[in-house]
Coordinates of all heavy atoms in Angstrom, one line a residue:
M1 N -14.3 34.6 -11.3 CA -14.1 36.0 -11.3 C -14.0 36.6 -12.7 O -13.3 36.0 -13.5 CB -12.7 36.2 -10.6 CG -12.4 37.7 -10.4 SD -10.9 37.8 -9.3 CE -10.3 39.3 -9.8
S2 N -14.8 37.6 -12.9 CA -14.8 38.2 -14.3 C -13.7 39.2 -14.5 O -13.1 39.7 -13.5 CB -16.2 38.8 -14.5 OG -16.3 40.0 -13.8
H3 N -13.4 39.4 -15.7 CA -12.4 40.4 -16.1 C -12.9 41.1 -17.3 O -13.8 40.7 -18.0 CB -11.0 39.8 -16.3 CG -11.0 38.8 -17.4 ND1 -11.5 37.5 -17.3 CD2 -10.6 38.9 -18.7 CE1 -11.3 36.9 -18.5 NE2 -10.8 37.7 -19.3
K4 N -12.2 42.3 -17.6 CA -12.6 43.1 -18.8 C -12.0 42.5 -20.1 O -10.8 42.0 -20.0 CB -12.0 44.5 -18.6 CG -12.6 45.2 -17.4 CD -13.9 45.9 -17.8 CE -14.4 46.8 -16.7 NZ -15.7 47.3 -16.9
I5 N -12.7 42.6 -21.1 CA -12.2 42.2 -22.4 C -12.4 43.4 -23.4 O -13.2 44.2 -23.2 CB -12.9 40.9 -23.0 CG1 -14.4 41.1 -23.1 CG2 -12.6 39.7 -22.2 CD1 -15.1 40.0 -23.7
N6 N -11.6 43.3 -24.5 CA -11.6 44.5 -25.4 C -12.0 44.0 -26.8 O -11.5 42.9 -27.3 CB -10.2 45.1 -25.5 CG -9.8 45.7 -24.1 OD1 -10.5 46.6 -23.6 ND2 -8.8 45.2 -23.6
A7 N -12.9 44.7 -27.4 CA -13.3 44.4 -28.8 C -13.4 45.8 -29.5 O -13.0 46.8 -29.0 CB -14.6 43.7 -28.7
T8 N -14.0 45.8 -30.7 CA -14.3 47.0 -31.4 C -15.7 47.0 -31.9 O -16.3 46.0 -32.2 CB -13.3 47.3 -32.6 OG1 -13.5 46.2 -33.5 CG2 -11.9 47.4 -32.1
F9 N -16.3 48.2 -32.0 CA -17.6 48.4 -32.6 C -17.4 49.5 -33.7 O -17.0 50.7 -33.3 CB -18.6 48.8 -31.6 CG -19.9 49.2 -32.3 CD1 -20.7 48.2 -33.0 CD2 -20.4 50.5 -32.3 CE1 -21.8 48.6 -33.7 CE2 -21.5 50.8 -33.0 CZ -22.3 49.9 -33.7
N10 N -17.6 49.2 -34.9 CA -17.3 50.2 -36.0 C -15.9 50.8 -35.8 O -15.8 52.0 -36.0 CB -18.4 51.2 -36.1 CG -19.7 50.7 -36.6 OD1 -19.8 49.5 -37.0 ND2 -20.8 51.4 -36.4
N11 N -15.0 50.0 -35.5 CA -13.5 50.3 -35.4 C -13.2 51.2 -34.2 O -12.2 51.8 -34.1 CB -13.0 51.0 -36.7 CG -13.0 50.1 -37.8 OD1 -12.6 48.9 -37.7 ND2 -13.5 50.5 -39.0
R12 N -14.2 51.4 -33.3 CA -14.0 52.1 -32.0 C -13.8 51.1 -30.9 O -14.5 50.0 -30.9 CB -15.1 53.1 -31.8 CG -15.2 54.2 -32.8 CD -16.2 55.3 -32.4 NE -17.5 54.7 -32.1 CZ -18.5 54.9 -32.9 NH1 -18.4 55.6 -34.0 NH2 -19.7 54.3 -32.7
P13 N -13.1 51.4 -29.8 CA -12.9 50.5 -28.7 C -14.2 50.2 -28.0 O -15.1 51.0 -27.8 CB -12.0 51.3 -27.8 CG -11.3 52.3 -28.6 CD -12.3 52.7 -29.7
L14 N -14.3 48.9 -27.6 CA -15.5 48.4 -26.9 C -15.0 47.6 -25.8 O -14.3 46.6 -26.0 CB -16.4 47.6 -27.8 CG -17.7 47.1 -27.4 CD1 -18.7 48.2 -27.1 CD2 -18.3 46.2 -28.4
T15 N -15.2 48.0 -24.5 CA -14.7 47.2 -23.4 C -15.9 46.7 -22.5 O -16.9 47.5 -22.3 CB -13.8 48.1 -22.5 OG1 -12.8 48.6 -23.3 CG2 -13.3 47.4 -21.3
A16 N -15.9 45.5 -22.1 CA -17.0 45.0 -21.3 C -16.5 43.8 -20.4 O -15.4 43.3 -20.6 CB -18.1 44.5 -22.2
E17 N -17.3 43.5 -19.4 CA -17.0 42.3 -18.6 C -17.1 41.1 -19.4 O -18.0 40.9 -20.2 CB -18.0 42.2 -17.4 CG -17.9 43.4 -16.4 CD -16.6 43.3 -15.6 OE1 -16.1 42.2 -15.3 OE2 -16.1 44.4 -15.2
D18 N -16.1 40.2 -19.2 CA -16.2 38.9 -19.9 C -17.5 38.2 -19.5 O -17.9 38.2 -18.4 CB -15.0 38.0 -19.5 CG -14.8 36.8 -20.3 OD1 -15.4 36.7 -21.4 OD2 -14.1 35.9 -19.8
G19 N -18.1 37.6 -20.5 CA -19.4 36.9 -20.3 C -20.6 37.6 -20.7 O -21.7 37.1 -20.7
T20 N -20.4 38.9 -21.1 CA -21.6 39.7 -21.5 C -21.9 39.4 -23.0 O -21.0 39.0 -23.7 CB -21.4 41.2 -21.3 OG1 -20.3 41.6 -22.1 CG2 -21.1 41.5 -19.9
T21 N -23.1 39.7 -23.4 CA -23.4 39.5 -24.8 C -22.9 40.8 -25.6 O -22.6 41.8 -24.9 CB -24.9 39.4 -25.1 OG1 -25.5 40.6 -24.6 CG2 -25.5 38.2 -24.4
V22 N -22.9 40.7 -26.9 CA -22.5 41.9 -27.7 C -23.5 43.0 -27.4 O -23.1 44.2 -27.2 CB -22.5 41.5 -29.2 CG1 -22.4 42.8 -30.1 CG2 -21.4 40.5 -29.5
G23 N -24.8 42.7 -27.3 CA -25.8 43.7 -27.1 C -25.6 44.4 -25.7 O -25.7 45.6 -25.6
A24 N -25.4 43.6 -24.7 CA -25.1 44.2 -23.4 C -23.9 45.1 -23.4 O -23.8 46.1 -22.8 CB -25.0 43.1 -22.4
A25 N -22.8 44.6 -24.1 CA -21.6 45.4 -24.1 C -21.8 46.7 -24.9 O -21.3 47.8 -24.4 CB -20.5 44.6 -24.9
L26 N -22.6 46.7 -26.0 CA -22.9 47.9 -26.7 C -23.7 48.9 -25.8 O -23.3 50.1 -25.7 CB -23.7 47.6 -28.0 CG -22.9 46.9 -29.1 CD1 -23.8 46.4 -30.2 CD2 -21.9 47.9 -29.7
M27 N -24.7 48.4 -25.1 CA -25.4 49.3 -24.2 C -24.6 49.8 -23.1 O -24.7 51.0 -22.7 CB -26.6 48.5 -23.6 CG -27.6 48.0 -24.6 SD -28.6 49.3 -25.4 CE -29.7 49.7 -24.1
A28 N -23.7 49.0 -22.5 CA -22.8 49.4 -21.4 C -21.8 50.5 -21.9 O -21.3 51.3 -21.1 CB -22.1 48.2 -20.9
N29 N -21.6 50.5 -23.2 CA -20.7 51.5 -23.8 C -21.4 52.7 -24.4 O -20.8 53.5 -25.2 CB -19.8 50.8 -24.8 CG -18.6 50.1 -24.2 OD1 -17.5 50.6 -24.0 ND2 -18.9 48.8 -23.8
G30 N -22.7 52.8 -24.1 CA -23.5 53.9 -24.5 C -24.0 53.9 -25.9 O -24.5 54.9 -26.5
V31 N -23.9 52.7 -26.6 CA -24.4 52.5 -27.9 C -25.8 51.9 -27.8 O -26.0 50.8 -27.4 CB -23.5 51.6 -28.8 CG1 -24.1 51.5 -30.2 CG2 -22.1 52.1 -28.8
T32 N -26.9 52.7 -28.1 CA -28.2 52.2 -27.9 C -28.9 51.8 -29.2 O -29.9 51.1 -29.2 CB -29.1 53.3 -27.2 OG1 -29.1 54.5 -28.0 CG2 -28.6 53.6 -25.8
S33 N -28.4 52.2 -30.3 CA -28.9 51.7 -31.6 C -27.7 51.5 -32.6 O -26.7 52.2 -32.5 CB -29.9 52.7 -32.2 OG -29.3 53.9 -32.5
W34 N -27.8 50.5 -33.4 CA -26.7 50.2 -34.3 C -27.1 49.8 -35.7 O -26.2 49.3 -36.5 CB -25.8 49.1 -33.6 CG -26.5 48.0 -33.0 CD1 -26.9 46.8 -33.7 CD2 -26.9 47.8 -31.7 NE1 -27.5 46.0 -32.8 CE2 -27.5 46.6 -31.5 CE3 -26.7 48.6 -30.5 CZ2 -28.0 46.1 -30.3 CZ3 -27.2 48.2 -29.3 CH2 -27.8 46.9 -29.2
R35 N -28.3 49.9 -36.0 CA -28.7 49.7 -37.4 C -30.0 50.5 -37.7 O -30.6 51.0 -36.7 CB -28.9 48.3 -37.8 CG -30.1 47.7 -37.2 CD -30.3 46.2 -37.6 NE -31.6 45.7 -37.2 CZ -32.7 45.8 -37.9 NH1 -32.7 46.3 -39.1 NH2 -33.9 45.3 -37.4
N36 N -30.4 50.6 -38.9 CA -31.6 51.3 -39.3 C -32.5 50.4 -40.0 O -32.0 49.5 -40.7 CB -31.3 52.5 -40.2 CG -30.5 53.6 -39.5 OD1 -30.7 53.8 -38.3 ND2 -29.6 54.2 -40.2
T37 N -33.8 50.6 -39.9 CA -34.8 49.8 -40.6 C -34.6 50.1 -42.1 O -34.3 51.2 -42.5 CB -36.2 50.0 -40.2 OG1 -36.5 51.4 -40.4 CG2 -36.4 49.6 -38.8
R38 N -34.9 49.1 -43.0 CA -34.7 49.3 -44.4 C -35.7 50.4 -45.0 O -35.2 51.2 -45.8 CB -35.0 48.0 -45.1 CG -33.7 47.3 -45.4 CD -34.0 45.9 -46.1 NE -33.1 45.0 -45.4 CZ -32.5 44.1 -46.1 NH1 -32.8 43.9 -47.4 NH2 -31.7 43.3 -45.5
K39 N -36.9 50.3 -44.7 CA -37.9 51.2 -45.4 C -37.9 52.6 -44.8 O -37.9 53.5 -45.6 CB -39.3 50.6 -45.3 CG -39.5 49.4 -46.2 CD -40.9 48.9 -46.2 CE -41.1 47.7 -47.1 NZ -42.4 47.1 -47.0
E40 N -37.9 52.7 -43.5 CA -38.0 54.1 -42.9 C -36.8 54.6 -42.3 O -36.7 55.7 -41.8 CB -39.2 54.1 -41.9 CG -40.5 53.7 -42.6 CD -41.7 53.7 -41.6 OE1 -41.5 54.3 -40.5 OE2 -42.7 53.2 -42.0
G41 N -35.7 53.8 -42.2 CA -34.5 54.2 -41.6 C -34.5 54.5 -40.1 O -33.7 55.3 -39.6
K42 N -35.5 53.8 -39.4 CA -35.6 54.0 -38.0 C -34.5 53.3 -37.2 O -34.1 52.2 -37.6 CB -37.0 53.6 -37.5 CG -38.1 54.5 -38.1 CD -39.4 54.2 -37.5 CE -40.4 55.2 -38.1 NZ -41.7 55.0 -37.6
P43 N -34.0 53.8 -36.1 CA -32.9 53.2 -35.4 C -33.4 51.9 -34.7 O -34.5 51.9 -34.1 CB -32.5 54.3 -34.4 CG -33.7 55.2 -34.3 CD -34.4 55.1 -35.6
R44 N -32.5 51.0 -34.6 CA -32.8 49.7 -33.9 C -31.6 49.3 -33.1 O -30.5 49.5 -33.5 CB -33.2 48.6 -34.9 CG -34.5 48.8 -35.6 CD -35.6 48.6 -34.6 NE -36.9 48.7 -35.2 CZ -37.7 49.8 -35.3 NH1 -37.2 51.0 -34.8 NH2 -38.9 49.8 -35.8
G45 N -31.9 48.6 -31.9 CA -30.9 48.1 -31.1 C -31.5 46.9 -30.3 O -32.2 46.1 -31.0
L46 N -31.4 46.8 -29.0 CA -32.0 45.8 -28.3 C -33.5 46.1 -28.1 O -33.9 47.2 -27.8 CB -31.4 45.7 -26.9 CG -30.0 45.1 -26.7 CD1 -29.6 45.0 -25.3 CD2 -29.9 43.7 -27.4
F47 N -34.3 45.0 -28.3 CA -35.7 45.2 -28.1 C -36.2 44.1 -27.1 O -36.4 44.3 -26.0 CB -36.5 45.2 -29.4 CG -38.0 45.4 -29.1 CD1 -38.5 46.6 -28.6 CD2 -38.9 44.4 -29.4 CE1 -39.9 46.8 -28.4 CE2 -40.3 44.6 -29.2 CZ -40.7 45.8 -28.7
C48 N -36.2 42.8 -27.6 CA -36.6 41.7 -26.8 C -35.5 41.3 -25.8 O -35.7 40.8 -24.7 CB -37.2 40.5 -27.6 SG -35.9 39.6 -28.5
G49 N -34.3 41.3 -26.4 CA -33.1 40.8 -25.6 C -33.0 39.3 -25.4 O -32.1 38.9 -24.7
I50 N -33.9 38.6 -26.1 CA -33.9 37.1 -25.9 C -33.9 36.4 -27.2 O -34.3 35.2 -27.3 CB -35.1 36.6 -25.0 CG1 -36.4 37.1 -25.6 CG2 -34.9 37.1 -23.6 CD1 -37.6 36.5 -24.9
G51 N -33.5 37.0 -28.3 CA -33.3 36.3 -29.6 C -34.6 36.1 -30.4 O -34.6 35.3 -31.3
V52 N -35.6 36.8 -30.1 CA -36.9 36.6 -30.8 C -37.2 37.6 -31.9 O -37.6 37.3 -33.0 CB -38.1 36.6 -29.8 CG1 -39.4 36.5 -30.5 CG2 -37.9 35.5 -28.8
C53 N -36.9 38.9 -31.7 CA -37.4 40.0 -32.5 C -36.4 40.3 -33.7 O -36.9 40.9 -34.7 CB -37.6 41.3 -31.8 SG -36.1 42.1 -31.2
F54 N -35.2 39.9 -33.6 CA -34.2 40.2 -34.7 C -34.0 41.7 -34.9 O -33.5 42.1 -36.0 CB -34.5 39.5 -36.0 CG -34.3 38.0 -36.0 CD1 -35.2 37.2 -35.2 CD2 -33.3 37.5 -36.6 CE1 -35.0 35.8 -35.2 CE2 -33.0 36.1 -36.6 CZ -33.9 35.3 -35.9
D55 N -34.3 42.6 -34.0 CA -34.0 44.0 -34.1 C -32.5 44.3 -34.0 O -32.1 45.3 -34.4 CB -34.8 44.8 -33.1 CG -36.1 45.3 -33.6 OD1 -36.5 44.9 -34.7 OD2 -36.8 46.1 -32.8
C56 N -31.8 43.5 -33.3 CA -30.5 43.8 -32.8 C -29.3 43.3 -33.7 O -28.2 43.2 -33.3 CB -30.3 43.2 -31.4 SG -30.3 41.4 -31.4
L57 N -29.6 43.1 -35.0 CA -28.6 42.5 -35.9 C -27.4 43.3 -36.0 O -27.4 44.5 -36.2 CB -29.3 42.2 -37.3 CG -30.4 41.3 -37.3 CD1 -31.0 41.2 -38.7 CD2 -30.0 39.9 -36.8
V58 N -26.2 42.6 -36.0 CA -24.9 43.2 -36.2 C -24.1 42.2 -37.0 O -24.4 41.1 -37.3 CB -24.2 43.4 -34.9 CG1 -24.8 44.6 -34.1 CG2 -24.1 42.2 -34.0
E59 N -22.9 42.8 -37.5 CA -22.0 41.9 -38.2 C -20.9 41.6 -37.1 O -20.4 42.5 -36.5 CB -21.3 42.7 -39.3 CG -20.3 41.9 -40.1 CD -19.6 42.7 -41.1 OE1 -20.1 42.9 -42.2 OE2 -18.5 43.2 -40.8
V60 N -20.6 40.3 -37.0 CA -19.6 39.9 -36.0 C -18.4 39.2 -36.7 O -18.7 38.1 -37.3 CB -20.2 39.0 -34.9 CG1 -19.1 38.4 -34.0 CG2 -21.3 39.7 -34.2
D61 N -17.2 39.7 -36.6 CA -16.1 39.2 -37.3 C -16.4 38.8 -38.7 O -16.0 37.7 -39.2 CB -15.6 38.0 -36.5 CG -14.9 38.4 -35.2 OD1 -14.4 39.5 -35.1 OD2 -14.9 37.5 -34.3
G62 N -17.1 39.7 -39.4 CA -17.3 39.5 -40.9 C -18.6 38.7 -41.2 O -19.0 38.5 -42.3
E63 N -19.3 38.1 -40.1 CA -20.5 37.4 -40.3 C -21.7 38.3 -40.1 O -21.9 38.8 -39.0 CB -20.6 36.2 -39.3 CG -19.6 35.1 -39.6 CD -20.0 34.3 -40.8 OE1 -21.2 34.1 -41.1 OE2 -19.1 33.8 -41.5
P64 N -22.4 38.6 -41.2 CA -23.6 39.5 -41.1 C -24.8 38.8 -40.3 O -24.8 37.6 -40.2 CB -23.9 39.8 -42.5 CG -23.5 38.6 -43.3 CD -22.3 38.1 -42.6
N65 N -25.7 39.6 -40.0 CA -27.0 39.2 -39.4 C -26.9 38.3 -38.2 O -27.6 37.3 -38.0 CB -27.8 38.5 -40.5 CG -28.1 39.4 -41.7 OD1 -28.3 40.6 -41.5 ND2 -27.9 38.8 -42.9
Q66 N -26.0 38.7 -37.3 CA -25.9 38.0 -36.0 C -26.7 38.8 -34.9 O -26.7 40.0 -34.9 CB -24.4 38.0 -35.5 CG -23.5 37.3 -36.5 CD -23.9 35.8 -36.8 OE1 -23.9 35.1 -35.8 NE2 -24.2 35.5 -38.0
R67 N -27.4 38.1 -34.1 CA -28.2 38.7 -33.1 C -27.3 39.1 -31.9 O -26.8 38.3 -31.2 CB -29.4 37.8 -32.6 CG -30.5 37.6 -33.6 CD -31.4 36.6 -33.3 NE -30.7 35.3 -33.4 CZ -31.3 34.1 -33.0 NH1 -32.5 34.1 -32.5 NH2 -30.6 33.0 -33.2
A68 N -27.2 40.4 -31.7 CA -26.3 41.0 -30.6 C -26.7 40.4 -29.3 O -25.8 40.3 -28.4 CB -26.3 42.5 -30.7
C69 N -28.0 40.2 -29.1 CA -28.4 39.7 -27.7 C -28.1 38.2 -27.5 O -28.2 37.8 -26.3 CB -29.9 40.0 -27.5 SG -31.0 39.0 -28.6
M70 N -27.7 37.5 -28.5 CA -27.4 36.1 -28.4 C -26.0 35.7 -28.5 O -25.6 34.6 -28.3 CB -28.3 35.3 -29.4 CG -29.8 35.5 -29.3 SD -30.4 35.0 -27.7 CE -30.3 33.3 -27.9
V71 N -25.1 36.6 -29.0 CA -23.7 36.4 -29.2 C -22.9 36.9 -28.0 O -23.0 38.0 -27.6 CB -23.2 37.0 -30.5 CG1 -21.7 36.8 -30.7 CG2 -24.0 36.4 -31.7
R72 N -22.1 36.0 -27.5 CA -21.2 36.4 -26.4 C -20.0 37.2 -26.9 O -19.3 36.7 -27.9 CB -20.7 35.2 -25.6 CG -19.9 35.5 -24.4 CD -19.5 34.3 -23.7 NE -18.5 34.5 -22.7 CZ -18.0 33.6 -21.9 NH1 -18.5 32.4 -21.8 NH2 -17.0 33.9 -21.1
L73 N -19.7 38.3 -26.3 CA -18.6 39.1 -26.7 C -17.3 38.4 -26.3 O -17.2 37.9 -25.2 CB -18.6 40.5 -26.1 CG -17.6 41.5 -26.6 CD1 -18.0 42.1 -27.9 CD2 -17.4 42.7 -25.6
T74 N -16.3 38.4 -27.3 CA -15.0 37.7 -27.0 C -13.9 38.7 -27.2 O -14.1 39.7 -28.0 CB -14.8 36.5 -27.8 OG1 -14.9 36.8 -29.2 CG2 -15.9 35.4 -27.5
D75 N -12.8 38.5 -26.6 CA -11.7 39.4 -26.7 C -11.2 39.5 -28.2 O -11.1 38.5 -28.9 CB -10.5 38.9 -25.8 CG -9.6 40.0 -25.4 OD1 -10.1 41.1 -25.1 OD2 -8.4 39.7 -25.2
G76 N -11.1 40.7 -28.6 CA -10.6 41.0 -30.0 C -11.7 40.9 -31.1 O -11.4 41.1 -32.3
M77 N -13.0 40.7 -30.6 CA -14.1 40.6 -31.6 C -14.3 41.9 -32.3 O -14.1 43.0 -31.7 CB -15.3 40.2 -30.8 CG -16.6 40.0 -31.7 SD -18.0 39.5 -30.7 CE -17.7 37.7 -30.7
R78 N -14.6 41.8 -33.6 CA -14.9 43.0 -34.4 C -16.3 43.1 -34.7 O -16.8 42.2 -35.5 CB -14.0 43.0 -35.7 CG -12.5 43.2 -35.5 CD -11.7 42.9 -36.7 NE -11.8 41.5 -37.1 CZ -12.4 41.1 -38.2 NH1 -13.0 41.9 -39.0 NH2 -12.5 39.8 -38.5
V79 N -17.0 44.0 -34.1 CA -18.5 44.2 -34.3 C -18.7 45.4 -35.2 O -18.1 46.4 -35.0 CB -19.2 44.3 -33.0 CG1 -20.7 44.5 -33.1 CG2 -18.9 43.1 -32.0
N80 N -19.7 45.3 -36.1 CA -20.0 46.4 -37.0 C -21.6 46.5 -37.0 O -22.3 45.5 -37.0 CB -19.5 46.3 -38.4 CG -18.0 46.4 -38.5 OD1 -17.5 47.5 -38.1 ND2 -17.3 45.4 -38.9
G81 N -22.0 47.8 -37.0 CA -23.5 48.0 -37.2 C -23.9 47.5 -38.5 O -23.1 47.6 -39.5
A82 N -25.1 46.9 -38.6 CA -25.6 46.4 -39.9 C -25.8 47.5 -40.9 O -26.4 48.5 -40.5 CB -26.9 45.6 -39.7
V83 N -25.3 47.4 -42.1 CA -25.5 48.4 -43.1 C -26.8 48.1 -43.9 O -27.0 47.0 -44.3 CB -24.3 48.4 -44.1 CG1 -24.6 49.3 -45.2 CG2 -23.0 48.7 -43.3
T84 N -27.7 49.0 -43.9 CA -28.9 48.9 -44.7 C -28.9 49.7 -45.9 O -28.0 50.6 -46.1 CB -30.1 49.3 -43.8 OG1 -30.0 50.7 -43.5 CG2 -30.2 48.5 -42.5
D85 N -29.9 49.5 -46.8 CA -30.0 50.3 -48.0 C -30.1 51.8 -47.6 O -29.4 52.7 -48.2 CB -31.2 50.0 -48.8 CG -31.0 48.6 -49.4 OD1 -29.9 48.1 -49.5 OD2 -32.1 48.0 -49.8
T86 N -30.8 52.1 -46.6 CA -31.0 53.5 -46.1 C -29.7 54.1 -45.7 O -29.4 55.2 -46.0 CB -32.1 53.6 -45.0 OG1 -33.3 53.0 -45.5 CG2 -32.3 55.0 -44.6
A87 N -29.0 53.3 -44.8 CA -27.7 53.8 -44.3 C -26.7 54.1 -45.5 O -26.0 55.0 -45.4 CB -27.1 52.8 -43.3
E88 N -26.7 53.2 -46.5 CA -25.8 53.4 -47.6 C -26.2 54.6 -48.3 O -25.3 55.4 -48.8 CB -25.9 52.2 -48.5 CG -25.2 50.9 -47.9 CD -25.4 49.7 -48.7 OE1 -26.2 49.7 -49.7 OE2 -24.8 48.7 -48.4
K89 N -27.5 54.9 -48.5 CA -27.9 56.2 -49.2 C -27.5 57.4 -48.4 O -27.2 58.4 -49.0 CB -29.4 56.2 -49.4 CG -29.8 55.2 -50.5 CD -31.3 55.1 -50.6 CE -31.8 54.0 -51.5 NZ -33.2 53.7 -51.4
E90 N -27.5 57.3 -47.1 CA -27.2 58.5 -46.3 C -25.7 58.7 -46.2 O -25.3 59.8 -45.9 CB -27.7 58.3 -44.8 CG -29.2 58.3 -44.8 CD -29.8 57.9 -43.4 OE1 -29.0 57.5 -42.5 OE2 -31.0 58.0 -43.2
A91 N -24.9 57.7 -46.5 CA -23.4 57.8 -46.3 C -22.9 58.7 -47.4 O -23.4 58.9 -48.4 CB -22.8 56.5 -46.4
Ligands
FES1 S1 -33.1 42.1 -29.2 FE1 -34.6 40.8 -30.0 S2 -33.4 39.3 -31.1 FE2 -31.9 40.5 -30.1

């Protein structure tokens, strides 16, 4: 039997069924893109969903460059969108 777990994305609450990936949890919470490409600043989120394309990179509990589609969300996990050069310039 599954139950809800709580985490954060960019310091905002993220709730999902236990057993989902970070990527699935983000999508279920209405987050469809969470980083920008370096050169053109285009939004990226889930693309292949199976760990091949590396479009879905996030920081998980301080570890950068984790594939959101391959990491299982755990209770209390802190997820952050990947910061790119473009994003830093826009901030
Ligand atoms: S969506 Fe392609 S590696 Fe995660």
Side-chain angles (χ1 to χ4, degrees):
M1 184 171 157
S2 71
H3 64 280
K4 297 273 188 189
I5 56 174
N6 298 299
T8 61
F9 173 67
N10 289 350
N11 297 316
R12 294 189 302 255
L14 185 65
T15 302
E17 293 291 327
D18 190 19
T20 63
T21 64
V22 170
L26 288 169
M27 297 292 284
N29 281 264
V31 182
T32 58
S33 65
W34 44 85
R35 72 176 188 93
N36 296 322
T37 58
R38 262 177 222 222
K39 288 186 179 174
E40 298 181 15
K42 293 188 175 178
R44 289 293 184 265
L46 286 182
F47 183 65
C48 71
I50 56 172
V52 176
C53 73
F54 287 73
D55 266 8
C56 64
L57 297 178
V58 287
E59 180 187 279
V60 174
D61 289 335
E63 288 289 325
N65 301 320
Q66 303 298 303
R67 288 170 290 175
C69 68
M70 301 300 289
V71 175
R72 182 176 166 175
L73 189 76
T74 58
D75 208 32
M77 183 177 271
R78 291 170 295 111
V79 180
N80 289 301
V83 176
T84 64
D85 293 341
T86 301
E88 288 172 353
K89 287 175 189 168
E90 291 173 354

